[in-house]
Amino acid sequence: METFEHNLASLFSQLGLNNSKEYIDNFLEEHCLEQHEQLTEARFWEPSQQKFLRESYEQDADWCEVIDQLDAMLRK
């Protein structure tokens, strides 16, 4: 059975973004969420990215833990 590691780099790849450490660090520096803003509704996502994030939550997918991690990292 093949296992897949769901980490921040793989989430960025899944979202169609560069998954290098430098890109992720820059992304986190340049983006943030307002106090009551939901990650899935953030203005910086493309519609397909929003759909993936929303569906992952709705389906309680394996991605939820790393998505929650990203959410926390975007709250400054």
Side-chain angles (χ1 to χ4, degrees):
M1 181 163 126
E2 186 176 335
T3 60
F4 182 76
E5 185 176 349
H6 290 85
N7 58 31
L8 208 52
S10 61
L11 177 60
F12 271 67
S13 289
Q14 186 69 25
L15 291 168
L17 300 172
N18 183 325
N19 70 345
S20 70
K21 180 178 178 356
E22 296 80 18
Y23 181 87
I24 294 170
D25 289 344
N26 287 336
F27 184 92
L28 295 171
E29 286 253 341
E30 295 173 6
H31 298 88
C32 67
L33 295 172
E34 300 297 323
Q35 183 177 359
H36 298 290
E37 186 176 19
Q38 292 191 17
L39 177 67
T40 58
E41 300 305 318
R43 61 200 170 282
F44 48 80
W45 298 123
E46 297 292 327
S48 61
Q49 295 167 326
Q50 287 178 320
K51 181 180 179 196
F52 170 77
L53 295 167
R54 192 171 27 259
E55 287 178 352
S56 293
Y57 275 130
E58 289 170 358
Q59 299 170 6
D60 194 26
D62 291 343
W63 290 104
C64 287
E65 188 174 329
V66 72
I67 292 171
D68 286 341
Q69 177 187 358
L70 177 60
D71 184 286
M73 295 172 87
L74 288 168
R75 297 190 186 275
K76 298 176 180 161

